[in-house]
Each structure stands twice: as C-alpha cells, then as structure tokens.
Amino acid sequence: MRSSVASAALLAGALLCLLASPARSTGRTTLSVLSFGAAADGVTDDAEALVAAWRVACRVPRATVLLPSGHRFLLSPVTLQGPCSTKLTLQIDGTVLAPPEMGSWPKPRRPLQWLNFKWLQDFSILGAGTVDGQSITSLQSASSPANNSTSQTSTGHWHSPGVKPTLIRFYNSFNVTVRNIRITNSPQCHLKFDSSGGIKVKNITISSPGDSPNTDGIHLQNTRDVEIKSSTIGCGDDCVSIQTGCSNVHIKNVVCNPGHGISLGGLGKDYSLACVSDVVAENIIVQNALYGVRIKTWQGGVGSVRNITFSNVRVANVATPIAIDQFYCDRGGARCANRTGAVAITGVAYRRVVGTYSFQPVRLACSDARPCTGVTMVDVRLSPAATAAGGGATVAPLCWNSYGEARGTIQPLGVGCLQRSNGYAMPLTQPFNYTC
C-alpha cells in the first residue's frame, strides 16, 4: 500500500485529469483518496493516502478531497495544513474511524488532537458521512465481562489519563465551514476552533453518551465571528463551550440533548485575563441536561463578559436552566481558595426561557467584590419537572450580588430576585484593572 501511495503522489499531475469529477463544469476538481492508495476497509491505516491527496489538492484552486460513500477509512492522527489554494473542500461521504487501540498512537508523545487542521483559509468540510472517534467502543470493550481486571473509570485507551485528544481541531484558520457531517464518540472535544475566525457550522450532528467525560460538543477559544446553526448536539459536557478571546458568536436553532447546555467558561483560571463579548444564543432546546445556559468564572480572574443574550430557550428536565457561577471550581474534592478578584459580568439578558427544571430554576452566584450588573429577565417561566414533582428535591432560586430587573411573566416569582440598582452604578470593592 505504501508503494502505491508513493506512486500516486509522484504521478499527481497526470492523475488530475483522470480524477476530475463530473462536476468539472462547476470549476471543481475532485481527488478521491481511493486513487491515492486508500484501502478503505476500516482496518488498514489510510492516513498516507489522505495526506497524498491533500498535498495535490492544496495546490489546485477549488479542489475537493473525497472520502467516498460506502467505504470505511481508518486514520491515524494526521495534520492537514495550509496555506492552500482557494476554496479547498474535504468531502466526507463515507465513515472515518480513529484507531481504537492505544498502540496505534505515536510514542512517546500522544497527540492532543486526531484530525488537526492548521493555517487554512476559505476551507470547507461537508458531506453525508460520519467521523467516529470510537472512544465508546474502546470503553465498552475494555469494561466487558471478559476483562474483569479493569474498572470502567479507567478503561479504554481514550479514557486513560493524559490520552484524550480532541477529535477535530482547527487552528489559526479563517472562513471555515463545517456542514452536514456527523461526529460521534469523541474522547474529548468533538469539534474545536482555536485562534480562528469567520466560522460557520450548520446542520451537523454530534453524539456521545451523557456520561462520557469532558466530551464538549463544539469548543471555541480565541475565535471571532462564529455562526452555529440548525444542529443537534448530544454529549457528556458543554454542548457549546465559549472560552476566552471569543466575540460575535451567534448560536441559533440548536438542540442540546443530553449535555451541560451552552456555557461561557470557565473563565479566569489561575488569575488569567478572560474576555468574551457579543454572544447571542436563540431558538435553543436543551433537554435532559445539567444546565441550560450558563456563565462560569474562576475566583481571582480578571477581564469581562459583556453583551450576552439568551432568547427563546426551551428546557425540559434540566437541573438548573439559568446559571451564573463566579465561584466555579472543578477540582473535585479539592477546595478552591477564596479570592477577591473576579471576571466582571455585565449586560446579560434572558428572554423567554421556558420549560421544566429538576433541581433549581435559577442560580446567580456573583462575586462579592464585583457583582453581576445589567442582568435582565423577561418572560421566564420555569416549573418543576415530573421527576422533581414526584419526590425529587428542588431548591429555591438564588440571586447573590446580581443586579438588574425582571419584566413580563416570571415563574416562579423567586426567579425575579434580582437586586435593583441605579443603572450600573454601585459600590465595588475592587477597581476595574483589566483591558479587554
């Protein structure tokens, strides 16, 4: 197979004519990985064939690298990078598989991502196929009755300490579109964008079990001008995670079931600067989740979260539909020390958030030193879920150091517990000493 791949790469110029798809009239050239030596049997590593096809396509304007339907492509960790010619597309119509065994990964270092895309512009991933991380398969296999010596919390190569790469990651890439594909069974984040911009994600499906650890659906960091639309996300962590350096993010018509909802943060860890602004999430459905819409920051951080809007959010059997937590700590049994500093949160609107909760309808726990300001609740109607009404314990709404106003229909009345203030003017025990 290696010789066929090498030959394909050497004869790439001649192959371009032979590999042109019937869509040549549209000005596109299609390169199938099958013509570059891919075995497409789900067992043989086809990474070299994919890289060979990519290198040719990268030099051709409006080229498409095709993984055709009806085939299964096993890929070891691979980096596909630019700069490339304009309008490059990776079309996934078949099934792409990550290696299910730890021994398949390079040593001594394990990769932080499986499919790694770098330095691309005007690039698209689309198709009717599936990208499968096979992490759940590994976990189930290792924890089967035939392997009684291994506990479920530490089995499977994806779930071993330090070996949890992101499935698909973009770095320093702009004008990127991801459309129609299915991404499943990731060991950690399913789809990540880092230091990028002009991102469009539409009509994709992400699925992993609700108890799979740290499996964020879509993770954004230092990324601007993002549209996430018409997609379904089920995972074991945040359906959409928005981290520092993100702005102008628009999430619309997204279903989250299960997961931890849509989250900003955790921000400001280890006294760091965190800046997030201009986020809109609308027409969102969150079901069977830990949270609905949440902002979480670490004590001691600096920076700001501002101009955030959650509107037309429907929740069903969500533990806490609305949450701001400026005392966030994910260190398990270890206690996080109290700090006076906090990332400032201002200008957060909740409009027409309706549905059922299983634990607490609203929890706004804001910093003593820097309260949350400009919080607005309009037509928020939340009632206990059937499971809670049938005997599960529920907790009253909490508004701690959270200033703003509630309007319209508020249910239960305690949801309107925001403290009133004269605009944003109120005493702060800590000065604003950050630059976002």
Side-chain angles (χ1 to χ4, degrees):
M1 196 274 286
R2 292 180 183 274
S3 61
S4 64
V5 172
S7 299
L10 292 172
L11 298 175
L15 282 170
L16 284 176
C17 294
L18 297 175
L19 297 175
S21 73
R24 175 178 285 277
S25 59
T26 66
R28 298 207 68 90
T29 299
T30 298
L31 306 173
S32 171
V33 295
L34 297 177
S35 299
F36 286 80
D41 57 8
V43 177
T44 307
D45 186 359
D46 289 327
E48 288 189 25
L50 175 60
V51 170
W54 178 274
R55 287 174 178 168
V56 175
C58 188
R59 299 193 295 268
V60 180
R62 299 180 62 84
T64 295
V65 176
L66 173 65
L67 293 101
S69 62
H71 300 278
R72 294 163 61 83
F73 302 91
L74 180 72
L75 299 177
S76 57
V78 64
T79 294
L80 302 174
Q81 66 186 49
C84 292
S85 295
T86 59
K87 304 295 184 182
L88 178 61
T89 296
L90 176 63
Q91 183 165 335
I92 302 174
D93 288 334
T95 299
V96 182
L97 303 169
E101 301 297 334
M102 183 183 293
S104 302
W105 296 82
K107 295 181 179 179
R109 296 181 61 190
R110 304 295 184 189
L112 296 178
Q113 48 272 324
W114 174 47
L115 298 181
N116 188 31
F117 298 90
K118 299 167 60 176
W119 308 320
L120 296 172
Q121 181 123 10
D122 297 322
F123 172 70
S124 298
I125 295 180
L126 53 84
T130 298
V131 178
D132 188 350
Q134 298 205 93
S135 63
I136 308 307
T137 301
S138 295
L139 181 62
Q140 291 173 342
S141 174
S143 60
S144 66
N147 191 1
N148 294 328
S149 62
T150 312
S151 68
Q152 193 170 10
T153 57
S154 61
T155 57
H157 106 78
W158 292 117
H159 296 269
S160 301
V163 189
K164 300 175 92 172
T166 293
L167 207 59
I168 301 175
R169 180 246 197 174
F170 284 90
Y171 174 75
N172 201 13
S173 296
F174 299 88
N175 299 329
V176 172
T177 297
V178 180
R179 190 172 74 241
N180 298 338
I181 64 171
R182 176 183 174 89
I183 308 171
T184 185
N185 294 334
S186 176
Q188 198 170 38
C189 295
H190 289 75
L191 178 59
K192 181 177 182 179
F193 297 92
D194 189 358
S195 302
S196 298
I199 307 301
K200 295 183 178 180
V201 178
K202 184 176 181 181
N203 196 35
I204 71 167
T205 300
I206 292 175
S207 63
S208 284
D211 60 353
S212 54
N214 300 315
T215 53
D216 292 49
I218 300 175
H219 185 96
L220 307 175
Q221 183 168 326
N222 295 314
T223 295
R224 299 182 175 185
D225 304 324
V226 179
E227 293 182 0
I228 301 171
K229 296 184 177 180
S230 305
S231 296
T232 300
I233 302 173
C235 57
D237 210 304
D238 298 333
C239 292
V240 179
S241 172
I242 302 170
Q243 300 297 322
T244 187
C246 293
S247 64
N248 193 23
V249 178
H250 189 190
I251 306 166
K252 184 176 182 179
N253 297 331
V254 168
V255 176
C256 173
N257 180 16
H260 292 184
I262 295 175
S263 291
L264 280 65
L267 301 169
K269 187 175 183 179
D270 297 327
Y271 315 105
S272 61
L273 172 67
C275 302
V276 176
S277 65
D278 302 305
V279 176
V280 175
E282 59 180 332
N283 300 338
I284 307 298
I285 297 175
V286 184
Q287 301 172 325
N288 306 309
L290 190 61
Y291 293 94
V293 290
R294 175 171 57 154
I295 301 172
K296 48 185 178 177
T297 68
W298 292 78
Q299 294 185 71
V302 295
S304 69
V305 174
R306 58 183 176 84
N307 197 19
I308 313 298
T309 300
F310 302 107
S311 66
N312 296 325
V313 179
R314 301 188 66 87
V315 297
N317 194 33
V318 172
T320 306
I322 295 175
I324 296 178
D325 183 3
Q326 289 195 280
F327 304 92
Y328 178 69
C329 179
D330 69 351
R331 291 172 178 164
R335 182 176 178 180
C336 293
N338 291 328
R339 306 293 181 188
T340 56
V343 176
I345 298 177
T346 183
V348 183
Y350 303 92
R351 302 191 177 108
R352 295 175 297 281
V353 181
V354 301
T356 61
Y357 66 93
S358 59
F359 179 65
Q360 187 175 28
V362 170
R363 179 177 178 82
L364 306 181
C366 297
S367 166
D368 296 337
R370 180 164 290 132
C372 301
T373 61
V375 180
T376 304
M377 293 201 183
V378 180
D379 295 328
V380 175
R381 294 176 285 115
L382 300 167
S383 57
T387 52
T394 61
V395 177
L398 171 70
C399 295
W400 180 263
N401 289 321
S402 49
Y403 290 78
E405 61 177 342
R407 303 194 305 267
T409 302
I410 302 297
Q411 177 187 342
L413 289 177
V415 169
C417 58
L418 293 163
Q419 297 166 263
R420 298 301 297 268
S421 63
N422 182 15
Y424 290 4
M426 65 192 66
L428 300 178
T429 61
Q430 186 181 34
F432 289 86
N433 57 352
Y434 58 85
T435 300
C436 280

